[in-house]
Structure formats: structure tokens, C-alpha cells
Amino acid sequence: MNKLSDLLIHVNLKEEDYKNIAEEPLTIEELDILKQITFKAIQEDLKGKDELKLKDESLVLQDKIIEINDDLGTKSYKRRKKKRLLFLVAILIFTCVASLIANVKNGNVERMFEVLFGSGTAYIGESGLELGVNTTKEGITLNVQGLVGDKNSAILLFDLTKEDGSSFDGNYIKFGRLEFDVEGKHEKTRSWNPFKIYGSQGYTSSIGWGMLDEVYQVPTKYTFKVEANLTKDLIGKNATLKLTDIIEAEQGDWFSEINLAEFLRAYPEYTYQDSIPMEEKFISYYDEEELESEGMNAQEVISKIPKRGLDSKQLDINLYPDFNTEWKIDNLGFVDGKLHLRMYGTDEMHYTPSFVDEQGNEIEMEYNITTYHSNGEGAKEERFAQGYYVYAIKDLEELSKLRVRSWFIKELRTTKGEWQLSFKVAIKNEEKRLVLNKMYSQGDSLTLEELTLSKLSLQVIYENKNNKRGTIKTRLLMKDGQEIKLGAKSQSYEGSKVTVRYAFKEPIDISEVQAVFINNEEVKIE
């Protein structure tokens, strides 16, 4: 067998190659088979090689993958689809190599974070830290790869492997609890998946975690990212990542065997019951300008907010009784010619039900909102959720032709235990801070007090004398005319003072920032 690097060295992107590559994307089953074949081939090739050679070949492979990716970026969209198989094989080869040489330190934080930031890693500099610390409990090893951060935020990469080298069950890993402590202070956590969006929280500190995209995973090693947003200074402090209970699971779409049309026929009093004014907690407040800027028809979106809804009945209908979920139907029925569904339960296992016809076509969900509350603090904290959903289903006859399908996570195996690693956040912060105390727009109601710009985030502190919890419009303009898209946003309130922190999609060169626009008012960065 050739050297690993030889597998990619001769991948040249030529026009005549495109006609020989299938345009259809790989199925999940085909992807898993390709991963296993690649993994076994590389295992044979690595026998007898020392760590230095493995590291050298790994770096050559990654350089080739980056070269292929850059070349793909110059092709048309249709051609990129055709070339997807070559790029996928390249990624699979590299991720398999990485899983087999997990103990070989890369020595290069930029390479480590290319899976998240791509070419944006060039601006990490001393804001990044390679860690390579690990611990093994109950046959599973937790390895913290590295961290990129600034004064109040951090992005952490970590991975899990089994000590015996075996694969994890399912296609997803979740935790009984994930905690991130900075010198003993516990930070609240949220998990996410690509099908749910969480609005801004009232927390002053929060973190979120998730698995990297499937293409970067192999069955024997799963890699995760943690994004921490803190109110206190992180740099130079001791931080701890702690996992409690590792749960192997399968995520995907699941059909329910519960027939809601039959339920309504058996209990007709719920079909057309008395409605009530929509409860405040289930009403979404949209900013018209923000909706229009995102290409949506603001009036159409706002018009779908229901004025009346269903009261709580605590029907306790479990759509998936065989699964480990406490997310249940509170009430259902028709209001103004639409099917309304009200649900409640624990935050951990909630999902959004959808309805599909015999051809698998999904019925339009005209409105949905999920609210959260918690009891207790720290390890004793319990999180609960309530959901309200409105569907374009007009009556019982139409409902009887549909099935319930939901995307969520089915638990397969749980390894009880606690995995904990501590490390010092020895990074340097590069930022620009502007103290302004200047009135901006909205009459004299908004005073912009301070801007802090770093490689990873933008923090805006302003005073809103009207004390309305609206949103400001923020844009970032670079000297070359490029407008930087702002990523996740968090807000905290202290009286009339509001602190908003935006995370960038990738690190930026702050010396190239020309201006920040707040509600279209320009703040020049010097």
C-alpha cells in the first residue's frame, strides 16, 4: 500500500474528471461503509510507523485537503457537487489518521481549528492554546484538544474515544450534564442541534456545546466544540471541563404510532373547545426591520402569530411511549381553522412534532415557540420547557390522513461516571475598547456607552432610557469594504443598561476593521 499522502497527492482537479463522478450525494449508509473501509486501510498502512512519521504524513494530508477545498471554491456550484466525493474521501482519510494518532500533538492551533474556521485560523495568533490533556474513566477517554478565546469568550475542542478502540453506538453523543467552571464558578449550559434555535437568554454567563459536522467524525472518535460566553475575565484563570454520564444515541426522524385523529374522535370535546387569548409566554415579538433585512415578509410573519389559543389541560399524551422522553401533549384541538398543539415536559428531551402525508410531504407549521424555565441551582437545577405549535391542518378529516414525525435523539447506551479536566487559560487577548457615552438615534433614548472589539467577538454596552428590550441593528465593516456577518448573540440587562455580545463566525484581523454601525450610525475604529 502507498504512503497515506500518496492517496491524495495525485488527486488533480481537471475538467474531464467531472463526467466520471456521480452527482448524487452519498447516503448515510454509504458514508459509514466508506469510513470503515478507509479506516481499515489506514490501520494497515500505519503498522510499524513511529509517531514522528505519522505526524509528518498527517500534515501532508491536511495540506492536500486544504488545497482541494480551495480549488473546489473556484468551481461552479454544480461542479462542486460533482467533486464532493473526492473531497469527502480526503476528509475521511484525514479524520481516520487523526483518530489513530490522537496522542501525537500537532503543535499548531491553527491546524486544529481549521475544522471550525477554515482560512480564518490565520488570525488566531496568541489567542489560541494547544492543550492535549486527557483522562480515562469507565473505559472512555476525554481529551481536550485546545482552546481559542478572548477576555470573555472561549471556544473549546474536545473528543471522546473508547479505551479498547471500539466504535460508539448510534450517530450521536449526549451527556447527563456538561459543566464549564472558571475558578470554581459554575456556568449555565445549553445544548443545541441544527433544527432548533434558541433565543437570547437572561443569563449573564452561558455556554453551549455540540458535535462537529458528521464529515469530521469517525465511529471510534467523536469530536465536540464548547462555546462559552462569560461576564468575567477568562484569561489566565484556571478552567475545568466536567462531563457527567456519557449517553450514546441515535438522532434522526421518528414516526409516532399514536393516532391523534382517533383520539379526537374518541374525545370530541377537545376537537373544537373554547379558546383563550394567546398567553404572553407563547407570543413571539419580531422586529420588522430585522425580518425585512433577512429577506422575509415581515407583515406575513407577524400576521401568523395566533391571537387565540388553547388553555392547559395536561392530557399527558406521550407520542413516543417506548422512548425515554417526558415531552407530552398538554392539549390539542382546532382554533380558527388551524390545528393547535400545546406541549410540556423536561428541556432535555423536547422535540418539535411535524405532520406528513402519505408521500412524505411535510405540512406547513405556521407558528411555533418554545419557552424555558428552571428550578434549583448548580447540579440540582432542573430545566423545563413548554411548546406551542400551529399547523395548516383545517379539520379532523385532513388530520386523519397524516402521520406525526419528529426529529429527536433516541438514547441507546449510558456509561455512568464523571470525567473532569482542569487547565489554565494561558492566552493573550487582543482587543480595541472605545468609551463613547454618546447619544445614538431613537431620539435621546439610546446612549452608546462602550464598544469592545476582539478577534472573536464584539461587545456593545448601551443605555436604553425607555427600558424596552428591543434589539439594536449592528454591522461590522472592514477596510476592504467587506461586511462581516455577526454570529450568535447574547444579551444581559441591568436596569436600563444593556450588554450585547456578538460572536464572529471565525476570527478576524481587528486592525482591518474600519467601522461598526449601530442602528446605521457609524462608529469609526481607529
Side-chain angles (χ1 to χ4, degrees):
M1 182 178 288
N2 293 332
K3 287 174 55 179
L4 294 173
S5 54
D6 291 341
L7 295 174
L8 291 179
I9 289 299
H10 300 295
V11 176
N12 298 313
L13 302 179
K14 297 179 180 179
E15 293 296 324
E16 57 266 27
D17 291 334
Y18 290 112
K19 63 179 179 292
N20 298 320
I21 300 173
E23 188 164 340
E24 293 78 11
L26 294 178
T27 65
I28 293 176
E29 291 76 15
E30 290 170 335
L31 180 61
D32 287 339
I33 292 172
L34 183 55
K35 285 181 179 179
Q36 294 292 353
I37 292 173
T38 308
F39 191 77
K40 289 178 181 178
I42 292 173
Q43 278 183 314
E44 289 297 317
D45 190 33
L46 295 185
K47 286 181 179 178
K49 294 187 177 180
D50 59 33
E51 290 185 352
L52 183 59
K53 288 183 179 179
L54 294 180
K55 179 180 176 181
D56 289 342
E57 292 194 11
S58 172
L59 297 183
V60 172
L61 279 168
Q62 190 162 351
D63 286 338
K64 186 62 181 178
I65 292 169
I66 295 167
E67 177 187 327
I68 292 174
N69 193 28
D70 290 342
D71 201 348
L72 288 175
T74 65
K75 306 295 181 182
S76 68
Y77 173 71
K78 184 175 181 180
R79 287 175 176 171
R80 287 203 306 273
K81 284 178 64 180
K82 289 186 175 183
K83 211 62 184 176
R84 179 175 178 269
L85 181 58
L86 279 179
F87 180 60
L88 188 56
V89 171
I91 287 291
L92 288 173
I93 292 173
F94 176 71
T95 51
C96 288
V97 173
S99 70
L100 290 170
I101 57 174
N103 294 324
V104 181
K105 291 190 176 181
N106 194 312
N108 193 325
V109 176
E110 293 181 7
R111 289 184 181 276
M112 184 186 303
F113 279 87
E114 277 172 348
V115 294
L116 293 181
F117 303 137
S119 60
T121 58
Y123 303 118
I124 289 177
E126 293 183 290
S127 297
L129 173 67
E130 181 181 3
L131 291 166
V133 293
N134 57 74
T135 182
T136 301
K137 299 282 181 65
E138 306 300 330
I140 297 179
T141 298
L142 163 65
N143 175 60
V144 179
Q145 300 177 12
L147 175 146
V148 173
D150 58 21
K151 184 177 179 180
N152 297 113
S153 62
I155 299 174
L156 195 72
L157 281 181
F158 73 90
D159 59 70
L160 294 175
T161 55
K162 291 192 175 182
E163 195 174 15
D164 62 4
S166 61
S167 299
F168 289 98
D169 290 347
N171 60 8
Y172 188 77
I173 297 287
K174 54 184 289 190
F175 309 106
R177 192 169 188 85
L178 184 150
E179 298 177 13
F180 184 70
D181 297 337
V182 180
E183 295 201 343
K185 183 177 179 181
H186 171 66
E187 306 298 341
K188 293 182 181 291
T189 65
R190 298 299 305 271
S191 62
W192 69 79
N193 66 61
F195 300 94
K196 298 185 179 70
I197 299 176
Y198 295 108
S200 59
Q201 304 298 312
Y203 308 142
T204 54
S205 296
S206 63
I207 74 168
W209 65 268
M211 294 179 66
L212 297 192
D213 291 342
E214 183 186 7
V215 73
Y216 298 112
Q217 310 288 3
V218 289
T220 56
K221 176 182 177 181
Y222 282 143
T223 305
F224 306 77
K225 66 176 178 179
V226 174
E227 296 183 2
N229 178 35
L230 313 172
T231 57
K232 58 183 178 180
D233 193 343
L234 176 71
I235 296 175
K237 303 292 179 61
N238 292 317
T240 300
L241 176 68
K242 183 167 70 173
L243 310 179
T244 303
D245 298 344
I246 295 174
I247 304 166
E248 299 167 53
E250 184 78 22
Q251 62 176 352
D253 287 316
W254 307 89
F255 280 101
S256 171
E257 298 302 321
I258 304 300
N259 190 318
L260 295 180
E262 288 184 1
F263 171 84
L264 291 176
R265 288 194 182 99
Y267 301 95
E269 64 269 25
Y270 292 106
T271 306
Y272 297 104
Q273 55 189 286
D274 292 336
S275 62
I276 62 173
M278 198 66 175
E279 295 178 50
E280 184 76 16
K281 63 184 175 184
F282 290 137
I283 297 178
S284 292
Y285 291 94
Y286 297 104
D287 185 286
E288 292 189 34
E289 290 185 20
E290 192 169 341
L291 289 173
E292 296 289 353
S293 68
E294 294 177 1
M296 292 185 280
N297 185 321
Q299 291 303 317
E300 182 180 349
V301 172
I302 293 172
S303 69
K304 290 184 177 180
I305 300 175
K307 294 180 174 57
R308 299 189 68 82
L310 300 176
D311 200 358
S312 174
K313 297 291 186 180
Q314 296 185 346
L315 295 178
D316 282 350
I317 300 175
N318 191 340
L319 292 172
Y320 298 91
D322 296 332
F323 293 3
N324 182 24
T325 173
E326 293 298 322
W327 189 238
K328 299 177 181 179
I329 294 178
D330 180 345
N331 197 2
L332 78 157
F334 294 93
V335 179
D336 298 329
K338 309 287 182 183
L339 177 66
H340 286 226
L341 201 63
R342 178 172 177 151
M343 301 189 72
Y344 71 106
T346 59
D347 176 29
E348 184 62 26
M349 284 295 291
H350 79 273
Y351 52 85
T352 301
S354 61
F355 290 84
V356 296
D357 60 22
E358 293 179 353
Q359 288 73 42
N361 301 312
E362 190 168 313
I363 305 303
E364 180 187 2
M365 180 187 296
E366 294 192 352
Y367 183 78
N368 78 89
I369 185 173
T370 306
T371 65
Y372 307 91
H373 68 278
S374 61
N375 294 329
E377 291 291 336
K380 295 182 178 180
E381 181 188 28
E382 292 183 294
R383 293 190 55 81
F384 300 93
Q386 291 180 292
Y388 202 100
Y389 314 99
V390 179
Y391 306 86
I393 303 172
K394 63 183 179 181
D395 54 30
L396 193 55
E397 180 182 356
E398 187 174 340
L399 177 61
S400 65
K401 300 175 183 178
L402 306 172
R403 293 186 66 187
V404 176
R405 185 179 68 186
S406 310
W407 185 99
F408 67 98
I409 299 164
K410 179 182 179 181
E411 297 180 1
L412 303 176
R413 179 202 300 263
T414 299
T415 302
K416 294 285 187 179
E418 186 176 284
W419 292 256
Q420 180 172 309
L421 286 170
S422 297
F423 46 88
K424 188 171 184 178
V425 186
I427 60 176
K428 292 185 178 180
N429 186 39
E430 183 180 342
E431 66 177 31
K432 289 186 178 181
R433 181 169 172 262
L434 302 178
V435 179
L436 301 164
N437 291 320
K438 182 178 179 182
M439 299 291 187
Y440 275 87
S441 68
Q442 299 181 9
D444 61 352
S445 64
L446 191 152
T447 300
L448 185 58
E449 295 187 355
E450 184 180 305
L451 286 180
T452 303
L453 178 67
S454 79
K455 294 180 178 181
L456 290 177
S457 65
L458 169 67
Q459 178 176 280
V460 182
I461 300 177
Y462 66 95
E463 183 178 9
N464 189 344
K465 293 181 180 178
N466 289 338
N467 205 26
K468 292 183 179 179
R469 295 196 173 188
T471 57
I472 57 174
K473 314 294 186 304
T474 308
R475 296 184 292 121
L476 196 69
L477 182 67
M478 306 299 283
K479 292 178 181 178
D480 63 2
Q482 179 187 5
E483 192 169 296
I484 297 295
K485 290 185 178 181
L486 302 177
K489 179 180 73 174
S490 64
Q491 291 186 186
S492 60
Y493 304 89
E494 184 178 345
S496 60
K497 183 177 292 188
V498 184
T499 299
V500 186
R501 185 176 291 114
Y502 302 90
F504 301 140
K505 299 288 187 182
E506 59 186 48
I508 66 168
D509 182 354
I510 62 176
S511 67
E512 291 299 313
V513 178
Q514 177 175 308
V516 176
F517 287 85
I518 307 293
N519 290 344
N520 293 321
E521 298 281 351
E522 183 178 13
V523 180
K524 291 186 177 180
I525 306 297
E526 299 177 356

